[in-house]
Amino acid sequence: MVEGLVVIVLILAILGFLASGVWVGLALSGSAWLVMELFSPRPAGDAMAISIWGASSSWTLTALPLFLWMGEILFRTRLSSDLFKGLAPWLDAIPGRLLHTNIVGCAIFAAVSGSSAATCATIGKMTIPELRQRGYPDALILGTLAGAGTLGLLIPPSIIMIVYGVSANVSIAKLFMAGVLPGLLLALLFMGYIFIWGLRHPEQNRPSSTEKTSFMQKLYASRTLIPVVLLIAAVLGSIYSGMATATEAAAVGVVGALVIATLQGDMSLKVFKESLMGATRMFCMIALILAGAQFLTLAMGYIGLPNALAQWIASLGLSQFGLIMVLMVFFIVMGCFLDGISLVVLTMGVLLPTVEAAGIDLIWFGIFLIFVIEMAQITPPVGFNLFVLSGMAKKELSYIAKVSIPMFLLMIIAVFLIYYFPGIVMWLPQNASGV
């Protein structure tokens, strides 16, 4: 079977390039070039030029470096430490303590960025140094951050929801509403995992202070959160008031972070240059990966692999539950090589008639699809959150993937929960009027 041979060659090529120390983006591009030369009549060089230009010239992509810059500013000024000072009194009594800031921070920022990579990178810039300084284990810091970063796809506004809504011809507003409760469910599952870890490791769960604090004392300590809350309110408010798109809101976030840091006396020419260069380096790493993934997507499209596999699944005649399970495996495996938006574009035309014939609501299916694409974000060899964290934390990709396994399993649990309790997804869109 040609498709099987393509998959084997692709996996061996990617693993071979990565094992030899080639940069991830170049490894993806090289693998795509190889399979195109072997299995497609289309000239590989021409396809590479077109796909890389298309990936790098997207206006939507402009939000990513801006959010990264905002994160660098927060990281290099008091704003990040203020976040922890304000949350510490409230979280000290909860098992897991400040590890919960990974989840809470990602959930809040997900409502701003709509991007998994931007959420993971921005929150990671703030939390990784702070949590390491406080003695939390790297496995928990990076594992929870990898999982929570995927909330950028699920909690609206989400770019991939827009792509799916257009592909499936369903209401994007209803998709946005449908993602709210599942996003909160996943965040609570992640926090529950940290809670249980805290109970099992009391030696790493000591409060930062032995003195008991009253409610008013906690409230007073939370005054340090005011600048961060104002910044979040400015970004979110500009989006939900209709005054700005997500990209424009990212610019609002950068300006807000610069203004707050200046008013606090933390901004200097040195800090400005360091934050700008830090964001530039991080974006260049991510952009090279995105360009390589785009070329790989184009190569697989020309070969016809995603379409062939989708047609095969449609021909199996499975029950509703069986179809969902097979599709979950299918999208996780395909997500190892393709980004989420490409997966939607390449497969929806073939799969949607089968999904509708099985009696599956397309709004519910859209949220299910985002869940399984989230899993692919932390699955090697092409898990974008793994790459982002590997570069930020200076850890091997295999280590990040290993510590992310508990988050991956929690996502599978979440898929079963929304399958057996579809109201988690459908309650808000079904009870909304005028949408």
Side-chain angles (χ1 to χ4, degrees):
M1 185 179 180
V2 176
E3 289 80 7
L5 181 60
V6 172
V7 171
I8 292 171
V9 171
L10 195 58
I11 292 174
L12 291 177
I14 292 175
L15 293 179
F17 280 125
L18 292 176
S20 64
V22 175
W23 290 349
V24 173
L26 298 180
L28 299 179
S29 298
S31 302
W33 180 87
L34 180 63
V35 295
M36 280 203 72
E37 286 292 328
L38 293 176
F39 302 104
S40 172
R42 173 73 186 269
D46 175 55
M48 178 186 291
I50 292 173
S51 61
I52 291 178
W53 170 252
S56 59
S57 62
S58 168
W59 170 248
T60 305
L61 193 64
T62 310
L64 184 54
L66 290 173
F67 279 125
L68 290 173
W69 191 14
M70 185 179 80
E72 286 283 343
I73 295 169
L74 297 177
F75 165 62
R76 296 175 190 279
T77 60
R78 281 190 325 206
L79 290 173
S80 59
S81 59
D82 284 351
L83 177 67
F84 283 84
K85 288 177 184 176
L87 290 174
W90 301 97
L91 297 174
D92 261 355
I94 303 174
R97 294 178 55 227
L98 290 177
L99 277 172
H100 292 287
T101 55
N102 268 351
I103 315 301
V104 176
C106 285
I108 293 172
F109 195 79
V112 178
S113 70
S115 164
S116 177
T119 299
C120 190
T122 304
I123 300 301
K125 273 291 181 183
M126 291 189 289
T127 62
I128 291 174
E130 295 286 343
L131 291 173
R132 279 177 168 172
Q133 184 179 341
R134 286 163 170 80
Y136 290 96
D138 262 10
L140 264 294
I141 297 172
L142 301 178
T144 55
L145 190 58
T150 64
L151 292 172
L153 297 179
L154 186 59
I155 296 179
S158 168
I159 296 170
I160 198 169
M161 283 186 185
I162 298 172
V163 174
Y164 173 79
V166 172
S167 301
N169 195 27
V170 297
S171 168
I172 294 172
K174 286 190 174 182
L175 278 172
F176 278 4
M177 286 185 288
V180 172
L181 293 181
L184 294 176
L185 168 68
L186 194 55
L188 288 174
L189 286 174
F190 291 156
M191 293 181 73
Y193 173 77
I194 295 173
F195 187 94
I196 294 171
W197 173 85
L199 292 177
R200 296 183 60 189
H201 298 83
E203 73 284 355
Q204 296 186 6
N205 195 43
R206 291 186 298 272
S208 56
S209 173
T210 56
E211 298 179 6
K212 290 187 177 181
T213 54
S214 66
F215 176 79
M216 292 307 297
Q217 287 173 320
K218 291 179 180 179
L219 206 59
Y220 180 72
S222 298
R223 72 190 186 283
T224 59
L225 291 174
I226 293 175
V228 179
V229 171
L230 288 175
L231 182 60
I232 293 169
V235 177
L236 285 177
S238 64
I239 293 176
Y240 287 110
S241 65
M243 295 175 59
T245 64
T247 300
E248 293 162 346
V252 171
V254 170
V255 173
L258 287 170
V259 169
I260 293 172
T262 301
L263 292 176
Q264 288 185 332
D266 294 329
M267 182 54 64
S268 64
L269 183 60
K270 179 183 177 183
V271 170
F272 181 86
K273 288 180 178 178
E274 286 178 349
S275 65
L276 185 58
M277 290 307 298
T280 301
R281 284 191 291 267
M282 180 61 67
F283 177 69
C284 287
M285 180 191 76
I286 296 174
L288 184 61
I289 295 170
L290 289 173
Q294 185 67 26
F295 181 36
L296 182 60
T297 296
L298 183 68
M300 293 183 71
Y302 276 118
I303 296 167
L305 181 60
N307 187 57
L309 292 176
Q311 287 181 341
W312 175 71
I313 291 172
S315 69
L316 295 178
L318 299 167
S319 65
Q320 189 180 94
F321 180 78
L323 180 63
I324 290 297
M325 292 299 103
V326 169
L327 287 177
M328 181 166 68
V329 175
F330 168 71
F331 281 111
I332 291 173
V333 172
M334 294 303 296
C336 291
F337 310 101
L338 300 173
D339 66 280
I341 292 176
S342 303
L343 265 177
V344 172
V345 172
L346 290 171
T347 60
M348 285 304 98
V350 178
L351 288 177
L352 284 179
T354 304
V355 170
E356 287 186 286
I360 299 172
D361 186 275
L362 293 186
I363 296 287
W364 183 93
F365 183 74
I367 302 304
F368 159 79
L369 182 62
I370 292 169
F371 262 112
V372 292
I373 289 174
E374 280 183 328
M375 297 180 202
Q377 296 290 306
I378 56 175
T379 306
V382 189
F384 283 101
N385 283 15
L386 302 183
F387 293 139
V388 171
L389 284 176
S390 179
M392 289 171 56
K394 309 302 180 187
K395 293 283 187 180
E396 293 292 329
L397 191 71
S398 57
Y399 175 82
I400 308 290
K402 182 178 71 174
V403 300
S404 303
I405 290 174
M407 304 300 110
F408 181 87
L409 297 176
L410 288 173
M411 290 180 191
I412 294 178
I413 292 172
V415 168
F416 281 101
L417 286 174
I418 65 169
Y419 178 79
Y420 287 108
F421 303 99
I424 297 172
V425 175
M426 301 304 300
W427 187 82
L428 277 178
Q430 285 175 348
N431 289 276
S433 57
V435 179

